Structure formats: C-alpha cells, structure tokens
Amino acid sequence: MTKTRSSRPIPTLDDVARKAGVSTATVSRCINTPDRVVEATRAKVTKAIESLGYTPNFGARVMAAKRTFTIGAIVPTMENSIFARGLQAFQEQLHSHGYTLLVSSSAYDPKIEEEQVRALVARGADGLMLIGYDRDAAIYKYLERQSVPALIAWAYAPQTPRPAIGFDNRAAMAMIADAVLAQGHRHIAVISAHVKGNDRAAERVEGIRASLHTRDLQPEHIIETSYDVDAGAQAMTELMHKTPRPTAVICGNDVLAAGALRAARDMGLEVPKDVSLTGFDDMDLAQVVTPALTTMHVPHREMGRIGADMLIAMVEGAAPPAPVQLPTTLQRRASLGPAPTRTPV
Amino acid sequence: MTKTRSSRPIPTLDDVARKAGVSTATVSRCINTPDRVVEATRAKVTKAIESLGYTPNFGARVMAAKRTFTIGAIVPTMENSIFARGLQAFQEQLHSHGYTLLVSSSAYDPKIEEEQVRALVARGADGLMLIGYDRDAAIYKYLERQSVPALIAWAYAPQTPRPAIGFDNRAAMAMIADAVLAQGHRHIAVISAHVKGNDRAAERVEGIRASLHTRDLQPEHIIETSYDVDAGAQAMTELMHKTPRPTAVICGNDVLAAGALRAARDMGLEVPKDVSLTGFDDMDLAQVVTPALTTMHVPHREMGRIGADMLIAMVEGAAPPAPVQLPTTLQRRASLGPAPTRTPV
DNA sequence: CTGAAAGCGCTTACAG
DNA sequence: CTGAAAGCGCTTACAG
C-alpha cells in the first residue's frame, strides 16, 4: 500500500551524500546550482547519483523550495479537440522553458473545476491556466490567497483587469451573423452550447443577437445543448421541423455544425441549397466535411504559445500583464450560401 | 517569486491547532479520520479551519503519508481526439473513487515521454497509465524501483505479462483488410502513422500484411506519416499518382482517412466508386464525413472505465491483474465499396 | 480520545 | 567551496 514496500528502498539525498562522502547540502547544490560546487566534488556526487539511480523527491523539494516548475491547466473537456490544439502549443512552449504542464478536465462542471483548482494548487502548481472568466469568486480569492497566478484563456474582456489571452467571442460571432445576413437570410436559428457558466458561449449568442438586431431581427430559435456531434445533429433535426423552417443555422462551434450537417443530410436536405450552416473554431473537421464549413478561424496555437509566455512571466514574479486580444478571421466556405428565394415551408 | 510573498500568509495545520486549542495531531485526525475524534473537539477544529480558510498543503501531506490519490496519464498527443474519449471516461471513473487525473502529452517523442514519467512520479503520482508497450526498458525499471504501478492501455499483448487493457490491433486491422479483399480489391495501399516506437501502428500494418498474405498479395505502397488530417491528405495525393493506382487505401486511423477523403475529393475522385477508403477508431469524425467511413469501432469509454478500476486496484495493493482484451467491431459504411471492374490507369 | 515528538526528503541562510 | 542545522507542513506510531 505504501511506496516503501519495495524490496530495494528508494535512494534519498542522504544516501547519495553518504556514498559520495559529502554533506546533503553539497549534493543539493550539485543538482540545483552546480557551478557553486568545485569540479572534483561534483564528479564524486554525480557518480554516486548514477550508481544509486537517485532521482529527487519532488514533494520534499516543493516543500523546501516552494517552486515546482509545474503549470496546471483546467479545460472544460478533453473529449473533443476544441482545446487540444491550443493546449499542445501551450505545453510545447512551457516545456521549452523547463516547465511541465499537467492538464485536467472539469467536464463543464463548476464544482469539479473548483476541485481541480484545489487539487492542482495542492500539488504545487506554480500557476494555472483557466478557460473563460466565469467562475465563483471564491476560486479567485483562493488563488490569490495561495499566491498562485492564473491566466484566463479563450476569452477577452478588456473591462476585467484579470490577465487573459483570447479573442472577442461576441464580435467574432457577430461577424458570422453579418455574413449570414448579407446572404439574404432572415429566418435564422442558433445551436449553442449551454451558456450558463460558459461565458464564451454566452457572448457568442449575444454577438448574434446584436448583429440581427441591426436589421430588427432576432434568432427565431435558440437551442442550447452539449458540445458533441450527436447533440448538434439532434438539435438540427428539431430545428428543421419548425415552421417556417430556418434558412440558416448558426452553430456555436464546428463540432455542433458537423453534427447539424449530418442531420441535414440524413433528412435529405442539401447544404447550402436548402439550408445554410456555419461553425466556429476552424478545426480540422471544418475542411473535412462536405460541404466545408464557413467558420471563424481562431489562432489556437498562437494563443497557447503566447499564453505560456505570459503565465511564465507571472509565475516568475512579473507584474500582471494586460489582457491580450488575438484576431480571428472569417473563413468563407461552401456551407453558407444565399437564402432560398422562396419562403421555405 | 516565492509563495510566501503574499501579504496574508497561508494558514497551516499549526495555525488551526493553535486557534482551536488542540494539537496538530488532532487537527490532522479531524481531516483524515474524523471518527477517531470526539464530536466536541471536531466542532472546534472545523470552526477554526473555516475561519482561517485552511486547506492542507499537499506536498507535505504526500511526504508524510506517501499517498497522493493522484493518477498520471501520458498520451502521445492531445491534438486529436483519438485518446480523448477514453481519457474522459478514465477520469470520470477515477474521480468517482476519489482520485485526481493529471494528463500530459509526449508529442510522440520517447524522450519527452520519459521526462513526463519522471515528472509525474516526482510529483507523487500513485500510478500511471501509459499508451502501448513500446518504450525503453529503463522506464519500466524506474517505475518498478519507485514502486509506482503502471497500466498499459490501447494495446493488448497476451505474451507480455504487464498489466494492460486494450485490443488486438493486429487482428482488428486484419479484419478490415479482409473486408477490403472481399470487395475484390487487389491493388491496396496503406497510410499509417510512423511505426517506430508506436506498437499500435506497427501491429496494424502487420495485420494488413498478414491478411493480404493469405491471397499472396501485399500492400503495394505503405506511406508513414504523422496523425493529422493534412498528412493524410498529402499521402493520399501521392498514392493517387501511382501506377497502377490503388483501388483501396487502408488508413491507420480515422483522422488519416478523413484527410485522404478530402484529398480524393480535391482530385475529383469519387469514393468509393473510384477508390475505397477505410479508417480505424470509429471517432465521431467517421460518421460526419461524406461518405461515412468504414472503420473499426473501439470501445474507448469502456477501456477508460475498466482501466481506471484496474489501476486503482493496483495502486491499492492488489496483485497485478492479467491483461484485459476488449472486443472491436467492424463498422461497414459507404467509404468501402467494390473494386472497379476495369484496371485503373 | 488526545498529545508530544519523530520523521518524511529536501533547501538554504549562516558560518567558516 | 562546503557543512551543520533549522525549517518546510504534514502524519503517525507510541504513550497516556
């Protein structure tokens, strides 16, 4: 049950020191600040370390040094690749600076997210990357109290002074809605992720509303659902039975749009001839489906890379940086076409 | 730079003990084994904990107790969803047993994987989940020495006595090749992940060879590439310029197949009329592309769930379990059709 | 049921 | 350049 059941016990700093005939302080220095130790001593210690197969105990190290070179990230889901690409870049950049990234998932559950925050902090994370702003104030208070800096990613709210890197979800989605309107669509529906506790999703819906509002329109239907293909398909099926039938469906992301596309096909509807569809994120998926999705390109890798630099600076004592806004660009592809001339039945 | 720069210092067990007027031992018991403490005492301590906002320091706890209730998982990539679904189920099951999952990615680099293993062990992981068998023996030796149990997932090799849960990649892929042959294809090409250090990919290719061998055939071309859509597309383009042109392309997974599908479409080829295509994994992707992919269904969620149970048992001292084999099932969809009757040019 | 005290494996002023 | 020693924040036999 315990780690010491091993037949051959795990070597400690003390074992190394004894074997090399030096103090534990010297061994510690050999490992952490080798140039403060004279060559000959270092050689003895290195030899002892190797022959013993010694590796430092991290827990002890953390406790004594108060630094772990570990960064934690909590994402709402690992199930689809929304966050995967940005996270990969985040990890690479962190790794090149000597930090290790540990990731965990909250399954879109605020309770679990809070647990994960505590778990990561408790395990010595030097800093945290969190998705979006929306969470219990107690979590922010806890982090502050523990002096663990946190970076918000995938969102950008200039009015909130918290360090963040992301993009303007509202404006980006408004741009999509504008494009839909420009194609003559007037019966517009939305498939969104659940907006509660998900500020990105909420802002995207707001962006749509704002855009449509300029023409005195509003979304005729908004379905909130979970972020998976089947959910997107089911929502689409539902929408296509409404009267009048929407001529364009704006989806909260590419996964939902891909599901919607499948549902349309299964119902014998042609995209975009019968109904137009848009996504968000510009995942690989978007170019692989037929027709390819009109969607919003988000610079995920850049977000990960810059986010890593920001968080490292924070962890290393820099003043909290100002929020960084990244540009998004509309990708026009075949899934968005002109509105049918006749009113659909 | 240090965590103690905080203006209000972080409360410790000692602070709680002092405030509650008891010993640190009693506070510790209140937290870990509450029924060994009498009600009245417990109430005092609980109050002190709350008023101080105390949370235990994990590092210290680990060091003293030698248990972290943390499980580490290292996957080759977080970039696509191959592992995402299984991991999510793994995490859920772990969570329901009070364990926290921390995930990191090796980016398919054995060096990085080794670093991550050490990082996770050093951070006190009670157990590890690793993908596939193929890795330096030194890693296994290290884990054994540290008495950290490891479970291999996504692979199953009954001759290797290591605890594992997975499926027979070789047999599963042979089944796909059999299906391709049954459709009359004789000019068959393969797009695989790099097989070096990736036993799953290597076994899949072997499965294809074995199947074709029964008809005295062999793959006419095998392209090894990375696991992403663009790589799949590029490989497909290359293959479609060969003479004779393959009539069927077996892909190492759905991502590659989706890319291949896109490339075929871009070249004006119809699937499956001009060329058949198969995937592996049965990801959401497989049903979303047109035509839908014939692929091998892998019970990812089940693998994650059972794997969690196995690893928990190991961590809690059970004898190493025997490898578990999960069934895979062929999903026949539109991307695989009969071979064209005329020899392609 | 509770406490005093040793110990977990490191790091780091402080001396020399 | 190196060592003795205190300290990091907990847990857990051992007594009582």
Side-chain angles (χ1 to χ4, degrees):
Chain A
M1 194 75 83
T2 75
K3 294 205 176 167
T4 45
R5 80 188 140 177
S6 147
S7 49
R8 195 172 32 167
I10 300 172
T12 69
L13 235 209
D14 211 67
D15 298 327
V16 176
R18 205 164 321 152
K19 179 137 194 168
V22 299
S23 73
T24 57
T26 298
V27 178
S28 176
R29 283 189 204 102
C30 278
I31 295 171
N32 300 305
T33 52
D35 27 78
R36 286 203 200 153
V37 178
V38 84
E39 169 61 28
T41 314
R42 214 187 316 153
K44 280 192 300 186
V45 172
T46 308
K47 220 176 107 194
I49 288 177
E50 276 173 11
S51 82
L52 252 28
Y54 169 78
T55 41
N57 175 310
F58 218 76
R61 185 176 235 174
V62 170
M63 228 179 76
K66 313 254 183 202
R67 256 327 264 298
T68 64
F69 290 95
T70 302
I71 297 292
I74 303 171
V75 293
T77 178
M78 302 190 280
E79 275 255 31
N80 65 46
S81 38
I82 307 177
F83 301 108
R85 177 160 304 180
L87 225 39
Q88 187 70 35
F90 187 66
Q91 146 139 346
E92 283 164 16
Q93 187 72 2
L94 248 24
H95 186 257
S96 77
H97 285 264
Y99 285 81
T100 296
L101 173 67
L102 263 22
V103 179
S104 71
S105 147
S106 70
Y108 282 103
D109 181 335
K111 273 269 175 41
I112 296 186
E113 191 194 40
E114 177 160 5
E115 282 179 42
Q116 307 276 25
V117 167
R118 287 178 192 277
L120 252 4
V121 169
R123 282 159 184 76
D126 289 337
L128 250 43
M129 191 249 245
L130 265 18
I131 307 295
Y133 291 90
D134 247 18
R135 56 182 54 78
D136 200 310
I139 298 184
Y140 289 118
K141 227 172 288 167
Y142 169 75
L143 287 172
E144 204 170 314
R145 182 151 198 187
Q146 303 276 337
S147 294
V148 175
L151 175 73
I152 306 301
W154 264 262
Y156 172 78
Q159 69 285 8
T160 311
R162 225 172 268 300
I165 180 163
F167 47 92
D168 189 332
N169 282 281
R170 197 172 185 289
M173 193 55 119
M175 210 183 302
I176 289 186
D178 289 349
V180 169
L181 287 171
Q183 293 281 352
H185 294 278
R186 294 300 177 265
H187 298 288
I188 300 171
V190 176
I191 305 178
S192 168
H194 297 288
V195 299
K196 194 177 165 213
N198 183 338
D199 44 23
R200 289 89 60 212
E203 282 176 18
R204 291 180 195 178
V205 172
E206 272 179 37
I208 296 170
R209 283 191 198 284
S211 164
L212 299 207
H213 190 68
T214 62
R215 311 250 184 162
D216 284 325
L217 292 173
Q218 54 182 33
E220 296 189 344
H221 311 279
I222 299 184
I223 298 188
E224 291 187 20
T225 184
S226 57
Y227 262 157
D228 62 85
V229 169
D230 289 336
Q234 198 184 319
M236 183 67 173
T237 306
E238 205 175 307
L239 287 173
M240 292 300 97
H241 283 107
K242 304 282 187 186
T243 310
R245 196 173 72 200
T247 66
V249 178
I250 298 178
C251 300
N253 77 358
D254 290 344
V255 172
L256 254 22
L261 195 56
R262 194 186 75 196
R265 190 173 59 220
D266 291 351
M267 296 176 78
L269 293 171
E270 242 182 84
V271 176
K273 208 186 102 230
D274 299 318
V275 58
S276 281
L277 232 34
T278 63
F280 198 108
D281 278 335
D282 197 18
M283 298 166 41
D284 282 341
L285 197 58
Q287 293 195 58
V288 147
V289 295
T290 322
L293 297 175
T294 287
T295 187
M296 187 58 60
H297 179 78
V298 175
H300 284 119
R301 294 195 61 85
E302 199 180 347
M303 182 158 56
R305 195 168 39 71
I306 300 178
D309 288 338
M310 291 170 73
L311 191 48
I312 289 173
M314 290 161 69
V315 160
E316 297 188 345
V324 170
Q325 179 172 207
L326 261 22
T328 58
T329 48
L330 184 64
Q331 294 295 323
R332 295 175 183 278
R333 300 205 187 93
S335 73
L336 171 60
T341 43
R342 296 164 304 164
T343 310
V345 186
Chain B
M1 194 77 83
T2 75
K3 293 201 177 166
T4 45
R5 78 190 142 175
S6 149
S7 49
R8 194 170 34 163
I10 300 171
T12 68
L13 236 210
D14 211 67
D15 297 327
V16 177
R18 204 164 321 152
K19 181 139 196 165
V22 299
S23 73
T24 58
T26 298
V27 177
S28 176
R29 282 189 204 99
C30 279
I31 296 172
N32 300 304
T33 51
D35 25 79
R36 289 204 197 152
V37 178
V38 84
E39 170 61 31
T41 314
R42 217 188 313 154
K44 281 192 300 186
V45 172
T46 308
K47 221 176 105 194
I49 288 177
E50 276 172 12
S51 83
L52 252 29
Y54 169 77
T55 43
N57 175 311
F58 217 78
R61 185 176 236 176
V62 170
M63 225 178 75
K66 312 254 182 203
R67 259 324 267 299
T68 63
F69 290 94
T70 302
I71 297 293
I74 302 170
V75 293
T77 179
M78 302 190 278
E79 277 253 29
N80 65 46
S81 38
I82 307 178
F83 302 107
R85 177 160 303 180
L87 226 40
Q88 187 70 35
F90 187 66
Q91 148 140 346
E92 284 163 15
Q93 187 72 359
L94 248 25
H95 186 257
S96 77
H97 285 264
Y99 286 81
T100 295
L101 174 66
L102 263 21
V103 179
S104 71
S105 146
S106 70
Y108 281 104
D109 181 334
K111 272 270 176 39
I112 298 186
E113 191 194 42
E114 177 160 4
E115 281 178 42
Q116 307 276 25
V117 166
R118 287 180 192 276
L120 251 5
V121 170
R123 282 159 184 77
D126 289 337
L128 250 42
M129 191 248 245
L130 265 17
I131 307 296
Y133 290 91
D134 248 19
R135 57 182 55 78
D136 200 310
I139 298 184
Y140 288 118
K141 226 171 290 169
Y142 169 76
L143 288 171
E144 206 170 313
R145 182 152 198 182
Q146 303 277 337
S147 294
V148 175
L151 175 73
I152 307 301
W154 264 262
Y156 172 78
Q159 68 285 6
T160 311
R162 225 172 268 301
I165 182 163
F167 47 92
D168 189 333
N169 282 282
R170 198 174 185 286
M173 193 55 118
M175 211 182 302
I176 289 187
D178 289 348
V180 169
L181 287 171
Q183 292 282 354
H185 294 278
R186 295 300 177 264
H187 298 287
I188 300 172
V190 175
I191 305 178
S192 167
H194 296 290
V195 299
K196 194 178 166 210
N198 183 336
D199 45 21
R200 288 89 60 211
E203 281 176 19
R204 290 180 194 177
V205 172
E206 271 178 38
I208 296 169
R209 284 189 195 284
S211 165
L212 299 206
H213 190 69
T214 61
R215 310 249 184 166
D216 284 327
L217 292 173
Q218 54 183 29
E220 296 189 342
H221 310 280
I222 299 184
I223 298 188
E224 291 188 20
T225 186
S226 57
Y227 264 156
D228 62 86
V229 170
D230 290 335
Q234 198 184 320
M236 184 66 173
T237 306
E238 204 174 307
L239 287 174
M240 293 298 98
H241 283 106
K242 303 282 188 185
T243 311
R245 197 173 70 201
T247 66
V249 177
I250 299 178
C251 300
N253 77 358
D254 290 345
V255 172
L256 254 20
L261 195 57
R262 194 186 76 196
R265 189 174 60 220
D266 290 351
M267 296 175 78
L269 294 170
E270 241 181 85
V271 176
K273 208 186 103 232
D274 299 318
V275 57
S276 280
L277 231 33
T278 63
F280 198 108
D281 278 335
D282 197 17
M283 298 166 43
D284 283 341
L285 197 58
Q287 293 195 59
V288 147
V289 295
T290 323
L293 297 175
T294 287
T295 187
M296 186 60 58
H297 180 77
V298 175
H300 284 119
R301 294 194 61 85
E302 200 181 346
M303 182 158 57
R305 195 168 38 70
I306 300 178
D309 288 339
M310 290 170 74
L311 191 48
I312 290 173
M314 289 161 69
V315 160
E316 296 187 345
V324 170
Q325 179 171 207
L326 261 22
T328 59
T329 48
L330 184 65
Q331 295 295 325
R332 295 174 182 278
R333 300 203 187 95
S335 73
L336 171 60
T341 43
R342 295 164 306 164
T343 310
V345 186

